[in-house]
Amino acid sequence: MRFNENGEYDIRIHYGDAFIAWVIHRLRLDKFVDNRRKYLNLDYNLTNLMRLFIYERILSPSSKLTNWKNRDSYYEKMNFTQAQIYSGLQQLGEYKEDMLSHLDKVMKELYGRQTGYGYFDGTNVYYEIEDEDGFREKGCSKENRPLPITQLGVLLDSNGFPMSYDIWPGNTNDCLMLPPAVNRAREIFEMKHMIYVADKGFYSGDTIANIIINHDGYVISNSVRGKKIDEETRKKVLDRSDYTCIDDNGKEQKAFDKSTQFMYKTIEIIGNCNITDKDGDKKKVKVGKHLIAFWSRKYAERAKIDRMETIEKALAKSHTSSKSKIDNTYGSNRFLATEVKDSEGNVVKNYSATVKFNQDAVDDVEALDGFYIIESNLAGLGWYDDKKPFEEGQTCRWREDWGMLQLNRELTALDIISIYRGLWKIEDSFKTMKSYLKMRPVFVWSRKSLEGHFLICFLSLLIMRILEYETGNEYTTRRLTQSLRNATLGEMAPGVYVTLYYDQVLMNLSNKMNL
């Protein structure tokens, strides 16, 4: 047997990659690259290099240089030079759009992908560099990092499988990301209509106009506290008299009371709007939408807890003297006010001001706790006394007379809320990419290499989601990755190996894949 000085097997070989290879083959990714590399004058196997990148991203995520150093940890022969690693990464990045289109067809065939609607969200990716270069720019980091970043937007299908992704310079505002991502997805997946689900950070007039121009649908959240909601609409949201209330047993109530856990209502809006179409022409179109206002006791209680630290800071500052007037609402200042007393109302140059706690400001904020708004332009069967039949096989259609996208099924306010709540899937995907796949920091620099890196991360995420699905979503991402990474063999003699690790997860995968 081959042991090192610590009494461990000197040569360990992964076999967790066998399960990953099964998915690669099932998605026909190997065939996709094989069909293209035969037209390239390469002195290495690009398909095997793709496998190595994906194996390493899932089993031992690190830099591309470390990927190359780990190439002998697999039973497959990975004969690459260090230069070929970076050259191949760039080559794979050039296949992005064709590969996304290929995967879409395969996912529809194998997993019944429905491109009726998709979840979109964005995150930051940081680099261990200090200088900006026009793409890696300093922007609004979600983790308050001062380093240059890029923005990454990911689109998931309705089943939670990764569908598409895009990258932007780090100083790109969130609300500018969705329109180009929408247009690119329509081209790649050749969709006539699609419903986009996104968080309030992507809400803007341009975003909504772009969706309407393309006759698409949207389900986007909006803050009841923000300036995008007028005062009249805010009053309607806060009026609890016409809500449908649900108690802690899930039963509908006649009115709001202490046992109410959740309530919702629909505010419908149909009007005309001036928009600029694809050809640059301005025209007036009918635009229909409804605001679904809902309140959650859980959200309200969490908001109060989150605010306590700010209130405590404001209380600590209150009843102190100040030479300057508080004229902003940042942090604890939103709950403070300055008193400058002068009986005649003249400007006082020398004064002693008192900072006091503003309970009215706290009450105004608390009144909005737990309230959220979901805006959508979706309609269902039977809306507005509609009697126009759908064509056979038609799942949705644009209604010029309503200015809305109508689905060929029943659709309630709760259905739309349920669609929106599916956004947790993309939040979980970002968590997987950041923690388990260690997508960042990024250690490659050229734009072509960056494209290749993000493609490998995207493919790795898709493969992880498929492995979870194939095991009946019985295991968490954490447990699944741990099992795959622990799945190793020890070499007893040349060509003879012993299994060093095996568990229930690996057994289920083996049974599923008949390995």
Side-chain angles (χ1 to χ4, degrees):
M1 296 184 184
R2 302 185 175 190
F3 297 101
N4 59 24
E5 59 185 10
N6 295 322
E8 300 172 337
Y9 284 97
D10 192 38
I11 300 179
R12 286 173 176 252
I13 301 293
H14 284 296
Y15 73 87
D17 59 298
F19 307 107
I20 301 170
W22 181 85
V23 181
I24 290 175
H25 182 71
R26 187 168 171 78
L27 294 175
R28 300 197 285 276
L29 285 171
D30 44 4
K31 185 177 180 181
F32 175 90
V33 178
D34 281 342
N35 288 340
R36 285 155 180 77
R37 72 182 178 89
K38 60 187 178 184
Y39 298 106
L40 302 174
N41 186 24
L42 300 177
D43 54 358
Y44 60 93
N45 189 321
L46 185 62
T47 307
N48 277 2
L49 182 56
M50 175 192 68
R51 291 174 182 269
L52 176 62
F53 283 142
I54 295 175
Y55 294 164
E56 284 287 289
R57 185 55 46 189
I58 296 175
L59 301 178
S60 183
S62 54
S63 68
K64 300 300 178 290
L65 177 60
T66 304
N67 292 170
W68 175 69
K69 292 179 179 179
N70 291 343
R71 66 193 184 280
D72 293 329
S73 300
Y74 302 94
Y75 192 77
E76 294 179 61
K77 301 301 179 184
M78 303 290 187
N79 298 320
F80 310 110
T81 65
Q82 185 176 339
Q84 288 169 345
I85 284 283
Y86 297 102
S87 173
L89 183 68
Q90 294 182 7
Q91 184 63 53
L92 290 170
E94 294 182 8
Y95 295 149
K96 172 190 170 181
E97 293 196 7
D98 286 344
M99 189 173 285
L100 293 179
S101 179
H102 162 81
L103 287 171
D104 183 55
K105 294 180 177 63
V106 176
M107 291 298 292
K108 287 176 179 175
E109 173 190 330
L110 297 179
Y111 297 101
R113 167 179 284 175
Q114 298 291 324
T115 52
Y117 64 89
Y119 297 101
F120 183 86
D121 203 353
T123 191
N124 305 140
V125 180
Y126 65 88
Y127 302 78
E128 296 294 349
I129 59 172
E130 295 184 358
D131 297 327
E132 301 168 292
D133 62 4
F135 186 69
R136 287 164 293 189
E137 295 284 324
K138 292 182 180 179
C140 185
S141 170
K142 297 182 186 298
E143 298 169 326
N144 299 315
R145 291 178 179 271
L147 301 174
I149 59 175
T150 55
Q151 298 279 27
L152 172 69
V154 175
L155 181 69
L156 303 186
D157 65 21
S158 57
N159 296 319
F161 289 118
M163 188 174 177
S164 179
Y165 71 96
D166 289 279
I167 51 177
W168 293 268
N171 55 4
T172 305
N173 190 286
D174 281 355
C175 64
L176 299 179
M177 292 163 57
L178 185 56
V182 166
N183 295 336
R184 185 189 296 271
R186 288 175 64 88
E187 293 175 5
I188 295 175
F189 306 122
E190 300 177 349
M191 298 178 299
K192 189 174 182 180
H193 303 289
M194 186 166 182
I195 303 166
Y196 294 90
V197 187
D199 215 336
K200 59 181 178 290
F202 299 94
Y203 183 102
S204 73
D206 290 340
T207 298
I208 303 303
N210 184 79
I211 292 173
I212 293 170
I213 289 169
N214 289 314
H215 291 172
D216 285 336
Y218 66 90
V219 178
I220 297 180
S221 68
N222 204 345
S223 174
V224 71
R225 304 179 192 275
K227 297 180 181 179
K228 296 174 183 177
I229 298 297
D230 59 79
E231 198 59 36
E232 182 181 353
T233 302
R234 188 176 287 109
K235 288 180 180 178
K236 290 181 181 179
V237 172
L238 295 179
D239 180 6
R240 304 191 181 198
S241 63
D242 54 349
Y243 272 90
T244 298
C245 302
I246 309 296
D247 66 15
D248 47 13
N249 293 317
K251 294 182 179 180
E252 192 170 315
Q253 298 174 292
K254 292 182 178 180
F256 178 87
D257 60 28
K258 293 182 178 180
S259 66
T260 302
Q261 297 298 314
F262 179 81
M263 62 181 185
Y264 66 93
K265 69 176 175 181
T266 301
I267 304 170
E268 297 190 17
I269 302 172
I270 296 181
N272 295 316
C273 181
N274 293 318
I275 64 172
T276 303
D277 62 20
K278 299 177 184 178
D279 300 322
D281 299 325
K282 291 185 178 180
K283 62 180 182 180
K284 182 178 288 187
V285 298
K286 181 166 285 188
V287 176
K289 65 180 180 180
H290 40 260
L291 306 180
I292 300 172
F294 67 94
W295 177 88
S296 166
R297 186 174 298 278
K298 181 177 68 174
Y299 292 164
E301 291 173 350
R302 187 172 66 186
K304 289 182 180 180
I305 293 172
D306 292 343
R307 194 184 303 114
M308 283 307 300
E309 183 179 353
T310 306
I311 290 177
E312 288 173 1
K313 288 181 179 179
L315 286 169
K317 291 180 181 179
S318 64
H319 304 296
T320 60
S321 296
S322 173
K323 285 293 183 181
S324 59
K325 187 177 185 298
I326 294 175
D327 59 358
N328 65 69
T329 57
Y330 299 123
S332 59
N333 282 355
R334 69 188 303 187
F335 302 134
L336 293 172
T338 307
E339 281 187 343
V340 180
K341 297 182 178 179
D342 178 35
S343 58
E344 298 180 1
N346 298 320
V347 176
V348 181
K349 293 183 179 179
N350 298 311
Y351 62 84
S352 177
T354 302
V355 178
K356 71 169 188 175
F357 185 75
N358 190 348
Q359 183 61 47
D360 290 340
V362 175
D363 294 340
D364 290 342
V365 172
E366 285 189 350
L368 301 176
D369 284 351
F371 285 97
Y372 284 82
I373 293 176
I374 296 175
E375 181 177 322
S376 177
N377 68 337
L378 301 183
L381 291 176
W383 285 42
Y384 310 116
D385 297 323
D386 177 51
K387 297 180 181 179
K388 183 180 179 181
F390 275 80
E391 297 175 6
E392 185 176 353
Q394 190 177 22
T395 59
C396 60
R397 62 186 176 189
W398 182 257
R399 295 298 300 264
E400 295 282 358
D401 50 343
W402 301 346
M404 305 178 79
L405 184 68
Q406 185 184 25
L407 308 187
N408 189 8
R409 65 181 177 89
E410 299 289 336
L411 190 71
T412 66
L414 288 179
D415 291 332
I416 295 176
I417 292 174
S418 179
I419 290 173
Y420 174 76
R421 285 181 168 172
L423 271 175
W424 72 268
K425 299 175 185 177
I426 199 164
E427 293 290 343
D428 188 65
S429 291
F430 282 143
K431 176 183 176 182
T432 297
M433 295 177 81
K434 293 174 182 178
S435 56
Y436 301 112
L437 301 180
K438 298 189 185 303
M439 175 180 63
R440 58 196 192 151
V442 184
F443 297 104
V444 292
W445 314 117
S446 72
R447 180 61 186 271
K448 288 185 176 180
S449 294
L450 289 174
E451 292 286 359
H453 170 76
F454 287 117
L455 177 63
I456 294 301
C457 291
F458 174 85
L459 295 175
S460 301
L461 175 64
L462 175 60
I463 289 169
M464 287 300 300
R465 290 291 179 253
I466 289 175
L467 288 174
E468 291 168 5
Y469 177 85
E470 293 290 353
T471 52
N473 293 308
E474 184 178 349
Y475 308 111
T476 62
T477 303
R478 178 183 180 85
R479 185 175 179 191
L480 188 61
T481 51
Q482 283 180 337
S483 294
L484 291 173
R485 291 171 183 178
N486 288 333
T488 54
L489 307 172
E491 187 171 17
M492 299 178 64
V496 180
Y497 300 89
V498 61
T499 302
L500 300 180
Y501 183 86
Y502 196 65
D503 63 12
Q504 185 68 38
V505 176
L506 298 173
M507 183 179 73
N508 286 356
L509 285 170
S510 298
N511 292 337
K512 178 67 180 179
M513 302 172 185
N514 196 28
L515 296 178

